[in-house]
Amino acid sequence: MKSNIKPPKVKEVPYNRSSIDTLSDKLANDSEATLLLEYPTVYIVHSHSGKDKYDVYVGETNDIKRRSIQHLDDDPRLRLDWKQFRDGKNAQMIMIGHEHFNKSLTLDIENQLMLYMSGLTQVSHLNNRRDNPQNKYYTSKEKNEIFSKIWRKLNSLNHRLFPIEEVVKNSALFKASPFHDLTDSQQEAKDQILQRVTEILDNGRTSQLILVEGEAGSGKTVLLSTIFYLLSQFESEDGKKIDAHLLVNHDEQLKVYEEIAKKLGLGSNTVDKPTPFINKRSTDEKVDVALVDEAHLLWTQGKQSYRGSNQLADIRKRAKVTIAVFDRHQVLRTQEFIEKKDMDLMEASARKDGNFIRLRDQLRMNANPDTIQWIEDLTEKRVVGKIPDDDHYDLRIFDDPQKMYAVIKEKAHHSENGLSRMLATFDWKFVGNGKGDHGHPWEVTASSASHLHDLTLPWNLQLPLDASQKGQGKKLAWAEQRQTIDEVGSTYTIQGFDLNYTGLIIGPSVKYRDGKIVFDPSASANTNAVQNRTMKSGDKRTVYEELLPNELHVLLTRGVNGLYIYAVDAKLRTALLKNNQR
């Protein structure tokens, strides 16, 4: 159906006093000038901060000319944000108007622009970092369509600063941005957490734990990112700021948070790994708040530079409040394993203090509940059921790994399909980032039944960075690097991230015997999951029966719009194909 919503009015002018003084004259012959001069408007000020790098300010106003003069001439605060634009020689201002703009809609458009700008690697600094999500209002249903029309106009104006929407949405920065609209569940959790943090700090209590539990795709990362941002912006009446630190053990996720902190000016030492955070501070130097993303990745025994016995306990000793985001189904290594009684005690303690929050929504996968349940049954009940009909989610079983790879490459080739990559259970040898036994990359090999279409691809992060992305490599997550379409990723590179379409090779550690899925540790190359774990009692025992299913679950739940599966084990492959209705 053709939309009746008209396109926005978008106009770019030099950002200086002379240009703004003559703004009315420049628009004198423009029939739509009133949309910019007399209606509420949204505006973007940008300037080059290096080759293909930009500093950006996003704002909204009811009087674009008056607001611009305030910033250029007599802003009483003389904010650095404005000084750099005012004194620069290449600053431009983009004015955006629409006949349906009102105060609430312009605030929502402003927030959406900040969300998009925060997801772009070419934006070095993003200024005016307010968080202004609006509730329902007269034109709220039009917001998404109007915003898309605005973005397309911005893209035609400057495609380097404003790439197509799908490129933005595929960015790991975008997905972890603190400017997303929160669901009702996330909003309720955010309000509860901020209230508890305020109460705890006001009462002078220390070592308090707020535990947020939720399964993969329940929106934990966005919630934590939002809380980290809001706490970093908080300032008490006496001018004191909250000393908040965000910690994560996952290398790929750490890159994302470091880039967000840099972009939003939150401080270079506010994002860290747990071990450096612990080593840099004594228990007498407590920070106000430590936020721990992927807390299931914290070590519960000594390893490498960490000589303690429980990273979460050591973080709590160094923070007045610790907010830990946790999913017990994503514990993947023996070093992270938590004995059930300890997990139950931690949860009970948090509940007793009113500090336990559970997120239940599934926000990642565009799948119906039956499809999600089918995936859960593979790892929890260890059964292969009939694959449900689902018009929203593309779930397919392949009998040929090469064909599956070809479909993934085709999906990845079209930007509207977003990021699509190959993944596999960790059943093939891989040592660091070095080369394999014969000087070649460590490889994943999946054999077809006929052996005519065997698939061999390098494991994650071994191919050289695509030439077009040189200079960005260290800032990009594995799936965002273009050459990784010719690699296979593992839980170590993809945990915590989304793909639009996943091609999953289920390796020989996952078998099908006597009507049940079984996990074979002898066929796994993941020593971190199958080696013995020393329990608190001193006994050594294996915990692969919990860790290998968790590994499979993480990989099965990465795809937003589709999941393609090839099983190496012939009996598992037969069972999957037999139950494939699509």
Side-chain angles (χ1 to χ4, degrees), residues 6 21 59 75 86 103 127 155 168 212 260 303 309 323 337 339 360 375 378 469 517 545 556:
K6 291 183 178 180
D21 282 341
D75 186 341
R86 185 184 61 190
K103 185 67 172 179
N127 299 295
N155 172 256
V168 182
V212 183
I260 288 175
K303 182 190 177 191
S309 59
I323 305 169
F337 182 78
E339 295 184 45
R360 299 185 182 276
I375 291 172
L378 288 180
Q469 293 181 303
I517 290 175
E545 276 289 350
L556 288 166

Side-chain angles (χ1 to χ4, degrees), residues 377-394:
D377 288 347
L378 288 180
T379 55
E380 292 184 15
K381 296 181 180 180
R382 315 283 175 91
V383 297
V384 179
K386 290 286 184 185
I387 296 177
D389 288 324
D390 192 335
D391 293 334
H392 303 288
Y393 197 78
D394 189 7

Side-chain angles (χ1 to χ4, degrees), residues 113-265:
L113 282 170
M114 289 192 288
L115 169 61
Y116 274 48
M117 297 279 90
S118 67
L120 297 174
T121 56
Q122 58 267 41
V123 175
S124 300
H125 296 97
L126 177 61
N127 299 295
N128 188 16
R129 301 171 292 273
R130 292 182 298 172
D131 181 40
N132 289 312
Q134 301 296 296
N135 292 319
K136 291 183 179 179
Y137 51 90
Y138 177 61
T139 53
S140 61
K141 292 182 179 179
E142 299 176 355
K143 184 195 85 169
N144 291 338
E145 184 176 346
I146 290 175
F147 181 83
S148 288
K149 289 177 183 287
I150 289 170
W151 194 263
R152 285 195 292 272
K153 284 223 172 188
L154 293 173
N155 172 256
S156 64
L157 194 66
N158 184 336
H159 68 274
R160 289 187 175 86
L161 179 55
F162 307 103
I164 62 174
E165 279 195 80
E166 286 304 322
V167 170
V168 182
K169 291 178 180 179
N170 287 331
S171 161
L173 288 173
F174 173 88
K175 292 171 182 176
S177 170
F179 298 114
H180 283 279
D181 291 339
L182 301 182
T183 65
D184 290 344
S185 176
Q186 288 172 317
Q187 185 70 41
E188 184 179 337
K190 182 201 79 172
D191 292 343
Q192 182 179 343
I193 290 169
L194 292 177
Q195 180 181 351
R196 290 296 297 136
V197 168
T198 302
E199 290 173 354
I200 292 167
L201 294 180
D202 286 348
N203 293 333
R205 300 175 69 188
T206 62
S207 301
Q208 295 296 298
L209 174 67
I210 298 175
L211 188 63
V212 183
E213 188 165 8
E215 294 193 0
S218 59
K220 302 184 299 297
T221 293
V222 166
L223 173 64
L224 195 72
S225 176
T226 300
I227 292 170
F228 174 53
Y229 167 73
L230 292 174
L231 289 175
S232 300
Q233 300 302 298
F234 178 82
E235 191 172 295
S236 63
E237 292 182 359
D238 60 0
K240 184 181 178 182
K241 288 194 171 186
I242 287 180
D243 185 19
H245 294 255
L246 200 157
L247 311 175
V248 63
N249 246 341
H250 193 288
D251 289 336
E252 298 292 300
Q253 195 70 43
L254 182 69
K255 292 180 189 177
V256 172
Y257 285 131
E258 286 176 335
E259 189 67 13
I260 288 175
K262 179 182 177 183
K263 191 185 301 289
L264 299 181

